[in-house]
Amino acid sequence: MVEAMNPTHGMEIKIETCNLNFYYGSVQALFNISMRIPARQVTALIGPSGCGKSTFLRTLNRMNDIIDGTRLEGKVLLDGQDIYANGTDVVLLRKRVGMVFQKSNPFPKSIFDNVAYGPRIHGVRGRSALADSVERSLIRAGLWEEVKDRLETSAMELSGGQQQRLCIARALAVDPDILLMDEPASALDPRSTAHIEDLIGELRKDYTIVIVTHNMQQAARVSDFTAFFYEGQLIEFGSTKQLFTAPKEKRTEDYITGRFG
Amino acid sequence: MTHQRKTEALVYQLMRGITYFIVFVIAYIILDIFYHGVAVLRWEFLAGYPRKSGAEGGILPAIIGTFCLVLGAIAAALPLGMASAIYLSEYARQGRWVRLLRLAIVTLAGVPSIVFGLFGLGLFVLFMGFGASILAGSLTLACMILPTIIVASEEALRAVPQTLREGSLALGATQWQTIRKNVMPYALPGMLTGSILGIGRAAGETAPILLTAAAFYLPKLPRSIFDQVMALPYHLYILATQHPDAAKVRPMQYGTAFVLLLLVLGMSLGAIVLRSHFRKKYKW
């Protein structure tokens, strides 16, 4: 019963949002979102296009800051600290909260330089230290075996799926504790998608993962918790199993059974 | 043939005719200068000093003068123009104020070059006391090409996909780190080529240097940036309009025009080669 009321009851909470409102200019995109994201679990954000799930994701590492004219109300607590409080070091925040984008965005540099980019900007010097970090990250991202003999070739020559895993490796190289993924597999073929999903299954042991997905099967496969967004509101949040088998809200049920969206 | 088809064919032929006509005119000018210019293009002409008010001898001081002016203009305008472009496209909050700034810059690009010349005369030559000199001329040219450089650089910066900036910022890079490591390297070739094209145009300008740097007749090389110099476009203007025996010095006019043309075309060609080289290097 307690579980039904509070799905994350008794769990370590990594991120908590309190009454989060978000505006693009005068258009409100998020309404009063309060949500507790548990540590070292995969939390999926689902909902139809334009429901605010990506916007919500981007509030968690303050990526919306770079869009002119946006405004936020409420709190986002990361390990209990409000990341929107005055004096927050956004650089440090984004180092802790990694992000993987919908469209893989490898930099037009070599594979090595892509993964070493983060460590370098955070002051890691020396070829061997960088090489260690690059190897470790590529192994974690399941890409090492495919690229270890051609680290100096351009990242642009990799396939779409490899590029996305490279972006994951790049994010892991700065040792975040949280990984935000914005539809990481939406532009990939089924095999590459399966590869990314396996990878998420591996990474969940060490990282808190928040993933936005359009694909409900994917949410059901990879996540422990699921949040359903609709028109900027958080309609339902619960364990993935509960949400998909016994949704409490009519709109959640309609969406996951494909009646709209 | 229906009426519409006839119109279609007519419009097509008309457009084609106009295009060919323009190409023909330009080709005629270039070939004419080439034909007459090559005849006087000897070593003494390129490396010699002018004699008898430019009626005989060479144009070395004018070549060197133009070279110095262009180099000075690049040195002054490139850093300033790039910095403004970076501010406008990367840092400034896009809004009414920035739109106004952009409008001002575009308007500046349309200001007649003689106005820049007068401005340079007032500010650099007189007020700052540089006198008619390479320094004053270079700075005046720099002012004139700044808008071109800013616009070209901004375009090059905007061509860098936003996803690269986001990717870098999301890794915890500061904005300056992002610009330096993940925007500038890709935008630089575009910035440079746009700028070179602008500078090539400036190299052929007479009005801005007329009042700030150019000497009527000065058959020696400059020793410092405070010296006056001869310059190719101004020299050409003198030979063509001010010389007592304009018809007699016609070969010298052609030669000078030819060298100036080579210089400008060479710079444009350089810009194009540079661009295609970098295009192959950076793709996304």
Side-chain angles (χ1 to χ4, degrees):
Chain A
M1 191 56 212
V2 173
E3 206 266 348
M5 298 291 291
N6 180 2
T8 56
H9 178 79
M11 303 186 77
E12 183 193 339
I13 300 301
K14 194 71 186 171
I15 305 170
E16 179 171 1
T17 67
C18 310
N19 302 325
L20 194 66
N21 289 298
F22 188 83
Y23 306 83
Y24 292 106
S26 57
V27 181
Q28 187 166 3
L30 294 175
F31 296 84
N32 230 18
I33 311 281
S34 293
M35 187 168 150
R36 290 146 69 87
I37 297 171
R40 286 179 301 281
Q41 303 279 328
V42 179
T43 302
L45 312 178
I46 62 169
S49 301
C51 68
K53 55 193 192 300
S54 285
T55 301
F56 177 75
L57 191 77
R58 291 166 64 96
T59 61
L60 304 182
N61 66 343
R62 294 189 54 169
M63 276 309 274
N64 286 323
D65 289 15
I66 64 174
I67 304 169
D68 285 342
T70 57
R71 191 159 57 84
L72 179 136
E73 292 164 358
K75 280 184 181 158
V76 178
L77 305 176
L78 172 60
D79 290 332
Q81 299 283 323
D82 185 5
I83 63 170
Y84 284 89
N86 286 333
T88 301
D89 185 346
V90 180
V91 164
L92 211 63
L93 167 72
R94 291 186 186 142
K95 187 173 176 293
R96 289 180 64 193
V97 187
M99 188 166 213
V100 176
F101 296 84
Q102 177 175 10
K103 198 170 163 295
S104 64
N105 57 349
F107 305 149
K109 304 173 186 287
S110 72
I111 293 169
F112 186 94
D113 287 343
N114 261 275
V115 184
Y117 187 90
R120 276 190 180 126
I121 57 173
H122 294 296
V124 177
R125 295 281 173 271
R127 187 74 191 175
S128 67
L130 285 170
D132 276 356
S133 170
V134 168
E135 179 174 346
R136 224 176 24 239
S137 308
L138 284 170
I139 289 173
R140 294 237 65 176
L143 192 60
W144 176 250
E145 285 305 319
E146 292 158 65
V147 301
K148 63 180 177 190
D149 299 322
R150 49 176 177 138
L151 293 175
E152 294 308 320
T153 58
S154 169
M156 309 312 280
E157 285 164 27
L158 297 174
S159 73
Q162 288 174 325
Q163 287 189 0
Q164 196 57 297
R165 277 181 283 145
L166 179 72
C167 292
I168 294 173
R170 194 173 66 192
L172 296 179
V174 295
D175 290 325
D177 10 311
I178 300 166
L179 261 188
L180 308 177
M181 299 179 149
D182 192 356
E183 299 188 45
S186 67
L188 302 180
D189 63 79
R191 230 182 116 231
S192 303
T193 302
H195 213 133
I196 299 277
E197 289 181 8
D198 290 346
L199 185 56
I200 293 170
E202 280 293 312
L203 295 173
R204 59 141 42 95
K205 295 185 206 111
D206 302 303
Y207 301 92
T208 302
I209 297 175
V210 186
I211 177 172
V212 165
T213 178
H214 253 114
N215 181 328
M216 274 170 291
Q217 284 77 26
Q218 186 172 67
R221 277 195 301 266
V222 303
S223 71
D224 307 295
F225 290 88
T226 298
F228 171 60
F229 281 75
Y230 185 65
E231 291 182 343
Q233 315 212 24
L234 176 61
I235 305 297
E236 185 166 355
F237 177 66
S239 76
T240 299
K241 197 172 156 218
Q242 173 262 315
L243 192 125
F244 277 95
T245 54
K248 280 177 275 189
E249 291 282 331
K250 177 83 169 54
R251 277 174 296 186
T252 312
E253 188 180 347
D254 287 350
Y255 181 71
I256 60 178
T257 53
R259 239 165 282 174
F260 74 92
Chain B
M1 210 191 250
T2 68
H3 174 69
Q4 275 149 335
R5 271 201 175 164
K6 256 188 227 162
T7 317
E8 183 72 24
L10 192 73
V11 169
Y12 169 72
Q13 294 297 347
L14 191 72
M15 299 293 175
R16 194 162 80 149
I18 290 169
T19 308
Y20 282 140
F21 176 72
I22 293 167
V23 172
F24 172 78
V25 171
I26 292 168
Y28 181 82
I29 294 172
I30 291 177
L31 285 176
D32 184 59
I33 292 173
F34 185 83
Y35 178 74
H36 291 95
V38 156
V40 290
L41 207 65
R42 288 180 307 276
W43 182 245
E44 312 87 85
F45 181 71
L46 289 176
Y49 292 86
R51 290 189 309 270
K52 296 190 180 165
S53 319
E56 285 173 24
I59 56 165
L60 182 68
I63 296 176
I64 298 292
T66 290
F67 196 72
C68 290
L69 288 170
V70 168
L71 222 59
I74 294 174
L78 214 53
L80 290 179
M82 285 182 172
S84 316
I86 289 172
Y87 171 72
L88 285 174
S89 113
E90 305 293 321
Y91 282 107
R93 255 182 116 78
Q94 307 301 316
R96 199 180 310 164
W97 174 239
V98 165
R99 268 210 305 280
L100 203 69
L101 271 178
R102 280 215 183 83
L103 187 70
I105 289 164
V106 172
T107 310
L108 213 57
V111 170
S113 54
I114 184 68
V115 176
F116 278 105
L118 286 166
F119 172 75
L121 174 70
L123 181 65
F124 303 123
V125 178
L126 301 175
F127 181 73
M128 298 180 88
F130 297 151
S133 60
I134 295 176
L135 184 62
S138 291
L139 292 176
T140 308
L141 283 178
C143 290
M144 201 187 87
I145 58 180
L146 255 179
T148 318
I149 292 179
I150 294 172
V151 171
S153 300
E154 251 207 287
E155 243 160 57
L157 286 169
R158 254 199 303 262
V160 177
Q162 187 64 19
T163 55
L164 295 184
R165 293 184 184 87
E166 289 191 345
S168 172
L169 290 171
L171 289 170
T174 63
Q175 198 164 4
W176 177 235
Q177 283 173 325
T178 300
I179 292 168
R180 209 162 34 121
K181 300 193 171 191
N182 217 28
V183 178
M184 277 294 276
Y186 320 132
L188 202 56
M191 292 169 117
L192 285 180
T193 51
S195 305
I196 292 172
L197 291 175
I199 290 158
R201 225 194 70 228
E205 279 286 349
T206 315
I209 55 170
L210 178 70
L211 304 164
T212 56
F216 186 81
Y217 181 69
L218 190 70
K220 60 172 185 161
L221 297 184
R223 296 223 170 150
S224 85
I225 53 170
F226 293 104
D227 281 351
Q228 241 184 322
V229 282
M230 294 181 75
L232 287 170
Y234 187 55
H235 186 58
L236 183 58
Y237 165 74
I238 298 291
L239 288 180
T241 63
Q242 307 295 305
H243 202 277
D245 199 355
K248 213 184 110 199
V249 295
R250 184 132 303 153
M252 303 302 277
Q253 292 170 24
Y254 268 116
T256 308
F258 184 52
V259 171
L260 183 58
L261 205 65
L262 279 186
L263 198 83
V264 174
L265 288 181
M267 288 178 83
S268 301
L269 199 69
I272 291 164
V273 170
L274 196 73
R275 181 161 46 196
S276 67
H277 170 74
F278 278 104
R279 232 179 230 164
K280 262 180 249 147
K281 199 168 158 201
Y282 294 123
K283 264 190 268 180
W284 45 73

